[in-house]
Amino acid sequence: MKTTHQINTIFLALLCLTASLLVSNPVQAAKWDANMTPAEVEATLDKKFAEGKYSTKGADTCLMCHKRSEKVMAIFKGAHGSIDSSKSPMAGLQCEACHGPLGSHNRGGKEPMITFGPTSTLAADKQNSVCMSCHLDDERVAWDSSHHANADVACASCHSVHAEHDPILSKQTEVEVCTSCHTRQKADMNKRSSHPMKWNQMTCSDCHNAHGSMSDADLVQPTVNETCYSCHAEKRGPKLWEHAPVTENCVNCHNPHGSVNDAMLKTRAPQLCQQCHASDNHTSNAYLGNTDMGSTVNGNAFTGGRSCLNCHSQVHGSNHPSGKLLQR
């Protein structure tokens, strides 16, 4: 009997602890999530759209319950909540323009509406179809083949609609939003040699179109080199004497997001150069080119100063008549 009493005491203690946790940390999921599977939610929403039972009072009906939420009311501070713009959802079906027909949702709140973001029951492509119904333009024409679409990223994962200013649209906060997912690039841009992204002097959208493009890595220009040349015009050819890996692709040698090596090089010279130039005696023998056979610090032309670039300084190409070896 004593053992049974102890078990009952422990059970009651756990029950009280669970209840207190639920009160202090209420579940944020929608009410219908507990009773409906994602497939059932989607099927119900499709049926509601087919029936088209929109509210006769628009946003006024929604705000009877949701006006106490600061996040909901913040939409009236931004472009999507503007009642003066004909392009704003508030000028048409208001809240239901994005969240779907009200139906009988306000009678208990158990009938699903379209929700957005990481906690949404709906798949990303279903969420995005709502956004793209208005935002399908030249900048987003390649969205379906973009890296974000292929990774099932929802528009609401990056964009904040219920806000006065969308952080992803500001140069001061854009990089912060992007690097919340792209953590490897965040680590690279904080290395000793990098583009000035951590100071917001450059942003991700200077090089990439997050909504997709016809180029690799969703670049804004047709090729990697064309993207780089938009800032580094002095490296653009054609040159009288060209360096093959340079004309092929800048990222053969550079990591555009940052590196521990000077000039964002993937590997420091001479190892970088020897990845291609390793077959002849000149580039494979570290004693060649010495000033004093390495008897003093930096006495080796391969390890002193700029290594291979001590002699071959014009690695991006030369226009000098005698620049065949990229030395002038």
Side-chain angles (χ1 to χ4, degrees):
M1 292 293 294
K2 185 177 180 180
T3 304
T4 304
H5 177 72
Q6 289 176 338
I7 293 174
N8 289 336
T9 302
I10 294 172
F11 175 76
L12 288 173
L14 290 173
L15 187 63
C16 293
L17 177 61
T18 303
S20 64
L21 288 173
L22 288 174
V23 171
S24 60
N25 298 290
V27 178
Q28 298 299 318
K31 294 181 179 179
W32 51 82
D33 286 343
N35 302 316
M36 303 174 69
T37 65
E40 290 174 337
V41 171
E42 187 173 327
T44 304
L45 289 171
D46 289 340
K47 181 181 178 181
K48 288 180 65 176
F49 270 98
E51 294 173 349
K53 294 181 180 179
Y54 291 90
S55 170
T56 56
K57 296 183 179 180
D60 290 339
T61 304
C62 306
L63 295 179
M64 288 178 65
C65 295
H66 295 287
K67 65 181 178 182
R68 286 171 289 184
S69 170
E70 293 183 4
K71 182 178 180 180
V72 170
M73 298 304 292
I75 193 167
F76 295 104
K77 298 178 181 179
H80 288 82
S82 173
I83 59 176
D84 299 325
S85 173
S86 60
K87 296 181 179 180
S88 168
M90 282 297 161
L93 293 171
Q94 300 183 347
C95 304
E96 293 167 284
C98 298
H99 294 284
L102 181 68
S104 58
H105 168 75
N106 58 332
R107 300 172 188 174
K110 293 185 179 180
E111 186 174 277
M113 301 291 289
I114 297 175
T115 55
F116 301 89
T119 60
S120 176
T121 311
L122 279 181
D125 61 333
K126 286 288 185 179
Q127 297 179 49
N128 295 344
S129 65
V130 177
C131 305
M132 298 301 284
S133 63
C134 291
H135 293 285
L136 186 59
D137 52 24
D138 292 344
E139 291 186 7
R140 282 160 279 268
V141 70
W143 167 256
D144 289 333
S145 62
S146 70
H147 286 72
H148 284 126
N150 291 333
D152 292 329
V153 176
C155 302
S157 296
C158 303
H159 292 279
S160 300
V161 174
H162 283 256
E164 183 175 2
H165 301 292
D166 188 352
I168 195 68
L169 299 182
S170 171
K171 187 173 182 178
Q172 299 302 314
T173 52
E174 178 187 329
V175 175
E176 180 182 350
V177 176
C178 296
T179 54
S180 64
C181 290
H182 299 281
T183 53
R184 182 173 181 177
Q185 286 70 28
K186 182 178 183 178
D188 285 341
M189 70 183 234
N190 282 286
K191 292 177 180 176
R192 62 183 293 267
S193 177
S194 65
H195 283 112
M197 298 180 68
K198 56 187 174 184
W199 297 290
N200 300 316
Q201 294 176 5
M202 274 186 68
T203 61
C204 306
S205 59
D206 288 334
C207 299
H208 302 277
N209 183 347
H211 300 109
S213 73
M214 301 302 176
S215 308
D216 289 339
D218 291 333
L219 293 171
V220 296
Q221 299 292 341
T223 65
V224 172
N225 283 19
E226 287 298 319
T227 304
C228 299
Y229 293 154
S230 60
C231 291
H232 302 281
E234 75 282 1
K235 303 296 190 295
R236 185 193 300 272
K239 300 289 182 70
L240 181 61
W241 303 104
E242 294 186 333
H243 194 187
V246 173
T247 57
E248 179 187 39
N249 197 327
C250 299
V251 299
N252 284 334
C253 300
H254 301 278
N255 181 352
H257 295 108
S259 170
V260 295
N261 302 304
D262 288 338
M264 293 184 286
L265 292 174
K266 288 183 174 180
T267 308
R268 62 176 300 178
Q271 286 81 11
L272 177 66
C273 306
Q274 290 173 330
Q275 290 177 6
C276 294
H277 304 282
S279 59
D280 62 80
N281 190 49
H282 172 66
T283 54
S284 60
N285 190 335
Y287 288 104
L288 290 176
N290 284 359
T291 55
D292 50 14
M293 297 300 291
S295 60
T296 61
V297 177
N298 293 334
N300 190 317
F302 264 46
T303 58
R306 302 174 67 212
S307 186
C308 304
L309 278 68
N310 287 331
C311 299
H312 306 282
S313 58
Q314 303 300 315
V315 290
H316 292 100
S318 172
N319 281 319
H320 195 282
S322 300
K324 181 179 180 179
L325 300 180
L326 306 180
Q327 293 180 317
R328 62 186 72 188

